[in-house]
Amino acid sequence: MTATLPRPVLLDCDPGTDDALALWLALAAPEIDLRLVTVAGGNVGLARTLPNALALVGLAGGRVPVVAGADRPLLGRFRDEAAVHGADGLGGVVLPPGPAATPGLAMDAIRAALRAAAPDSVTLVGLGPATNFALALAAEPALRDRVAEIVLMTGALGEGNWSAAAEFNAAMDPEALAILLACGRPVTLATLDLTAQAFVTPARIEALRAAPGGACLRAAADILASVPPSRRFGFRGVALHDPCAVAWLLAPALFTARAVAVAVVLDGPDRGRTRIDRWGRDQGAALNGRFLETLDAEGFFALLAARLGALP
Ligand code: BDR
Ligand code: CA
């Protein structure tokens, strides 16, 4: 790999409460040259996620182009996750409206950014259904050579959060995820098993609120406080998903990781389940993934507070 710091990053998101913190973490990171933000219609739909992304970039003083993407998966229909993110996608936390979106379509903007980049240099970060990246790479497969790494918040080794078997992002567009997993570039997975370790408790929200910072940090604490505690964790708190994928780029020492073979189930009741082989049991399966196994949660929340605290 020829990438040098700061690494070029294209980030696709569907804000989304946890996407909001992830986007701010990326915008605050000197390790990242954030060249493009594209928006998917996951969580609460493109009519909300696009203005949310623009408002998040605007509040952070970012100048990165923000481009609208697909409002539905490659197959099937859009499904809503407002019960987690609130009807507006940011838990009712009102931000000043952001700048206008950059005209165009995400799949075209992603391809243009890849064409302009050096070989083996770009990191794709996906925080929602994988539709936009999949459309771009399916339309122009040769551009995969510009990609150094794909980092996705997606999937689960254990139980899902959308169905018994499937995590939300993987379940919303399994065909798109399958395209990325088969594209020949390494795919790093921040799954539900990892993000459960980034566990948000009332004490952690208060610590964030008490940290030095400006409007972004205060809004981040409010957004976190808006998320209903999860039944999955006995109502003690929630998993903070998407910032884990961005944190991997900034502080890999906070994680342990393992090379795996990963595929996504496309049919039947387990549709959207990620099949992750950690021990090489599927003889001959290519090691196409890197499974992020453990997270230093204290270090992760300290990173979040410090970086978001440096934003306006
Ligand atoms: C994923 O689904 C969305 O609701 C979150 O933003 C996150 O990307 C977690 O399953
Ligand atoms: Ca998301």
Side-chain angles (χ1 to χ4, degrees):
M1 155 165 153
T2 55
T4 51
L5 291 175
R7 66 166 89 190
V9 167
L10 314 184
L11 186 147
D12 186 70
C13 58
D14 57 343
T17 51
D18 57 330
D19 300 75
L21 274 69
L23 183 52
W24 279 337
L25 189 58
L27 284 162
E31 299 89 346
I32 285 179
D33 172 11
L34 186 59
R35 295 186 176 180
L36 176 67
V37 172
T38 52
V39 185
N43 283 331
V44 290
L46 192 64
R48 298 280 192 179
T49 56
L50 180 62
N52 286 350
L54 291 162
L56 292 160
V57 169
L59 194 65
R63 296 185 168 276
V64 61
V66 178
V67 182
D71 66 355
R72 67 197 70 182
L74 298 181
L75 303 179
R77 60 180 178 85
F78 165 74
R79 281 165 297 174
D80 184 89
E81 188 75 323
V84 175
H85 299 272
D88 63 357
L90 296 178
V93 177
V94 179
L95 305 180
T102 299
L105 279 177
M107 66 175 284
D108 298 329
I110 292 165
R111 284 156 61 220
L114 289 175
R115 271 191 229 114
D120 203 22
S121 68
V122 178
T123 299
L124 304 181
V125 178
L127 308 177
T131 321
N132 292 327
F133 286 146
L135 282 168
L137 291 180
E140 205 168 339
L143 288 175
R144 70 183 190 166
D145 292 349
R146 310 298 166 96
V147 176
E149 182 180 3
I150 301 171
V151 182
L152 304 177
M153 190 286 126
T154 197
L157 185 65
E159 69 176 1
N161 62 352
W162 175 257
S163 70
E167 178 277 335
F168 177 81
N169 289 338
M172 289 307 104
D173 200 339
E175 282 75 19
L177 178 56
I179 287 171
L180 298 190
L181 292 174
C183 83
R185 307 310 291 160
V187 180
T188 296
L189 303 171
T191 67
L192 292 180
D193 320 278
L194 178 89
T195 65
Q197 299 167 52
F199 193 62
V200 182
T201 58
R204 282 190 164 138
I205 296 173
E206 285 321 305
L208 203 62
R209 220 185 273 291
C216 290
L217 187 72
R218 285 196 300 277
D222 291 343
I223 288 169
L224 282 183
S226 77
V227 181
S230 168
R231 188 169 57 162
R232 191 157 70 100
F233 300 109
F235 301 102
R236 288 177 296 109
V238 292
L240 183 53
H241 307 291
D242 293 339
C244 292
V246 177
W248 162 252
L249 303 182
L250 314 187
L254 295 176
F255 298 79
T256 62
R258 179 184 298 276
V260 295
V262 55
V264 57
V265 175
L266 299 178
D267 299 309
D270 286 0
R271 178 171 161 77
R273 173 174 175 246
T274 46
R275 195 170 185 288
I276 298 170
D277 179 14
R278 288 192 295 162
W279 309 112
R281 290 186 172 125
D282 289 349
Q283 301 284 322
L287 297 179
N288 58 343
R290 174 161 45 200
F291 176 69
L292 300 181
E293 279 190 323
T294 66
L295 173 71
D296 169 353
E298 293 307 323
F300 169 80
F301 282 102
L303 177 79
L304 203 59
R307 297 301 180 88
L308 268 54
L311 288 172

